[in-house]
Amino acid sequence: MVEQAVSSSVSAPPHRLRGSIGVSGIVFLVIAAAAPLTAVAGSLPVMIALGNGAGAPLTYIVVAAVLLVFSVGYATMSSAVTETGAFYAYVTKGLGRAPGLGAAALALLAYTAVQAAIYGLAASTMDAVMARFGGPDLPWWVWAFALMALVAVLGYRSIDLGAKVLGVLLIAEIGLIVVLSGSILGQGGAEGIEFSSFSPSSFFSGSPGIALMFAVGSFIGFEATAIYGEETKNPRRTVPIATYVAVITIGVLYAIASWAIVLAFGSDQVQAVAAEHTGDLTFIAATEYLGSVTSDVMMVMLVTSLFAALLAFHNAISRYSHALSRSGFAPRGLMGVHARHGSPHVGSLVQTATAFVLVGIFAVAGADPVLELFTWMAGVATVSILVVMVLTSIAIVVYFARSGADKRLWHSKIAPVLGGLGLCAITALVIANFTTLIGGSRVLANVFLAIIAGTFLLASVTGHFVIRARQRRDATPISQQP
């Protein structure tokens, strides 16, 4: 057994990632990044209060449907792209290296921003938990850096270990959401079981654009099915199955849980209650239908949900850095793979340092961990990842049209086009409501949107000139090279 392991390690390419994660492991990583309990206890109340109220369940279904159609082309193309990097690798394969680098830069911006946002929310939640149970009263950034240290340790090691940790935490939080939803539905909610939440009139009431923003944010981390292609047992089979399972599971879980929360207070009353008790809406429902002890457990598990999301995004960012380094568009040191763990340990360390600096800036500035760090960074992440997904849709269509690798009309043309159009519509609505998402400042909204656009353009243009320089160098006879 030991000889086989040594032989496998020696024969593996030095800069290829290693792992044996399967469908369930990847699904755990994707859903962990989505952080179900965080969505149900954190985002959903805001979505109901500021968005379309009782129409939240249908909003989740709409977003899941768009992503599921997008997933058809995404999963089909996974047979041609098995290296780490996912969206970056897909856009490069379809549109070329320069746009691919632009997509990679946007993905890195999105995941770095959303991870910083979650550190703010997690730190604030830790502070609330400590206050509730008589723990020490410490600045929020202390909790943020403590969580960062734990994420750094697990992110440095094998992805198999991270998947196991996330799996345990994820099963527990999904179980709690299912129990709460089942209890509310079993007791008939406040006014009995009814289905008005799934009607078009409910969906279009209030501000559906804002609701769509929060729903999309709840699915961020979706591309993790392909990010771990190199570390799976059979990527051509595992990635497509994991993609469909993850999107359907997240969509169904959110739709049912949000419907239950709406029924807990009544379709006509839930938006007003959410506006008055935004931070406590889900906990009030838990206390009412399961008891105060369950509500306390839910608050503690919200911390573990946030931690699971932090670890998932940490893994995604370190693998993007590794992919860019391996292709020659990031420092070569990031290409390092740990001899024992098979993980991109150098990229993991750099990612930890980046998170430390970004969160540290907000801490030094005396920013609010939720109203500023979480809100602003979540807004940047949502817009960035939507743009990347639109680019990926275009890349999928172009790739199959050019290569003819898959002749199936639905898989290679119709589904990717429909998914791309749906993502374009959602992106337009998100940008139209972006000022509300980041707190109401139009100047700040324009600055963040400019950063997003500038990140893509700068990376694409820089990549173009680097590629041209390489081509000229490769075309120069060796005797004439300096």
Side-chain angles (χ1 to χ4, degrees):
M1 180 73 72
V2 173
E3 291 177 357
Q4 291 177 349
V6 172
S7 175
S8 175
S9 176
V10 172
S11 61
H15 301 303
R16 301 289 287 185
L17 302 178
R18 302 188 303 276
S20 58
I21 188 172
V23 172
S24 61
I26 293 183
V27 172
F28 278 141
L29 287 163
V30 174
I31 301 178
L37 191 56
T38 300
V40 173
S43 299
L44 176 61
V46 183
M47 181 176 169
I48 292 173
L50 300 180
N52 53 3
L58 184 55
T59 307
Y60 281 121
I61 292 177
V62 168
V63 171
V66 171
L67 292 182
L68 196 58
V69 174
F70 166 82
S71 298
V72 174
Y74 186 68
T76 302
M77 194 170 170
S78 66
S79 61
V81 182
T82 59
E83 66 263 27
T84 190
F87 286 154
Y88 156 62
Y90 280 59
V91 174
T92 297
K93 201 84 169 180
L95 302 180
R97 182 70 69 181
L101 290 170
L106 276 183
L108 281 171
L109 175 64
Y111 291 133
T112 300
V114 77
Q115 191 189 44
I118 295 172
Y119 272 121
L121 183 58
S124 177
T125 304
M126 279 289 295
D127 187 54
V129 168
M130 291 299 165
R132 188 161 183 167
F133 297 106
D137 181 15
L138 299 174
W140 66 266
W141 48 265
V142 173
W143 302 117
F145 292 141
L147 290 169
M148 200 176 295
L150 189 54
V151 167
V153 172
L154 289 175
Y156 185 88
R157 296 172 62 84
S158 168
I159 188 62
D160 297 319
L161 175 62
K164 290 174 183 176
V165 172
L166 293 177
V168 173
L169 297 177
L170 195 58
I171 290 172
E173 67 174 282
I174 289 179
L176 184 56
I177 293 172
V178 170
V179 169
L180 174 59
S181 301
S183 179
I184 295 172
L185 295 174
Q187 296 179 50
E191 301 171 351
I193 303 297
E194 47 89 15
F195 301 90
S196 63
S197 288
F198 301 99
S199 66
S201 60
S202 292
F203 174 78
F204 287 107
S205 66
S207 302
I210 294 177
L212 282 170
M213 284 190 287
F214 284 101
V216 169
S218 298
F219 280 87
I220 288 182
F222 162 81
E223 78 165 295
T225 54
I227 280 180
Y228 303 105
E230 282 183 18
E231 297 161 277
T232 62
K233 301 172 184 176
N234 183 357
R236 285 177 171 79
R237 174 183 177 275
T238 300
V239 171
I241 294 176
T243 300
Y244 295 133
V245 171
V247 173
I248 293 172
T249 300
I250 295 171
V252 170
L253 181 67
Y254 286 163
I256 293 177
S258 59
W259 180 43
I261 295 298
V262 168
L263 293 179
F265 300 96
S267 298
D268 295 332
Q269 304 296 326
V270 67
Q271 189 163 29
V273 177
E276 185 177 354
H277 302 283
T278 306
D280 300 323
L281 185 73
T282 304
F283 297 107
I284 292 173
T287 300
E288 177 71 21
Y289 290 89
L290 291 175
S292 59
V293 173
T294 302
S295 180
D296 290 342
V297 171
M298 179 177 286
M299 178 170 283
V300 174
M301 289 188 62
L302 178 56
V303 175
T304 65
S305 172
L306 290 162
F307 173 76
L310 288 169
L311 181 56
F313 283 119
H314 177 97
N315 288 332
I317 296 167
S318 60
R319 279 152 183 79
Y320 255 105
S321 301
H322 175 87
L324 287 170
S325 174
R326 205 166 64 188
S327 60
F329 292 95
R332 291 183 59 82
L334 295 173
M335 207 188 317
V337 176
H338 198 281
R340 177 182 176 186
H341 303 305
S343 62
H345 65 297
V346 179
S348 177
L349 292 173
V350 171
Q351 200 287 313
T352 298
T354 302
F356 180 87
V357 170
L358 185 54
V359 174
I361 290 173
F362 279 84
V364 171
D368 184 280
V370 176
L371 297 179
E372 293 168 332
L373 176 54
F374 174 74
T375 303
W376 296 356
M377 293 298 99
V380 170
T382 300
V383 175
S384 298
I385 206 63
L386 276 169
V387 173
V388 174
M389 291 175 69
V390 169
L391 288 170
T392 303
S393 295
I394 298 171
I396 292 170
V397 174
V398 172
Y399 171 77
F400 285 122
R402 186 178 63 237
S403 68
D406 195 303
K407 301 294 186 181
R408 293 173 296 178
L409 193 61
W410 169 252
H411 289 74
S412 62
K413 292 182 175 63
I414 297 176
V417 169
L418 290 177
L421 290 174
L423 288 168
C424 284
I426 292 174
T427 303
L429 283 169
V430 168
I431 292 176
N433 291 273
F434 189 66
T435 300
T436 302
L437 183 64
I438 56 91
S441 170
R442 184 172 297 276
V443 173
L444 189 60
N446 289 336
V447 168
F448 283 142
L449 290 174
I451 289 173
I452 294 169
T455 297
F456 175 76
L457 291 174
L458 180 61
S460 298
V461 171
T462 301
H464 171 76
F465 284 111
V466 170
I467 293 167
R468 291 288 297 273
R470 286 185 178 181
Q471 291 172 340
R472 288 195 296 269
R473 183 194 62 195
D474 294 341
T476 303
I478 295 178
S479 59
Q480 297 181 23
Q481 292 183 10

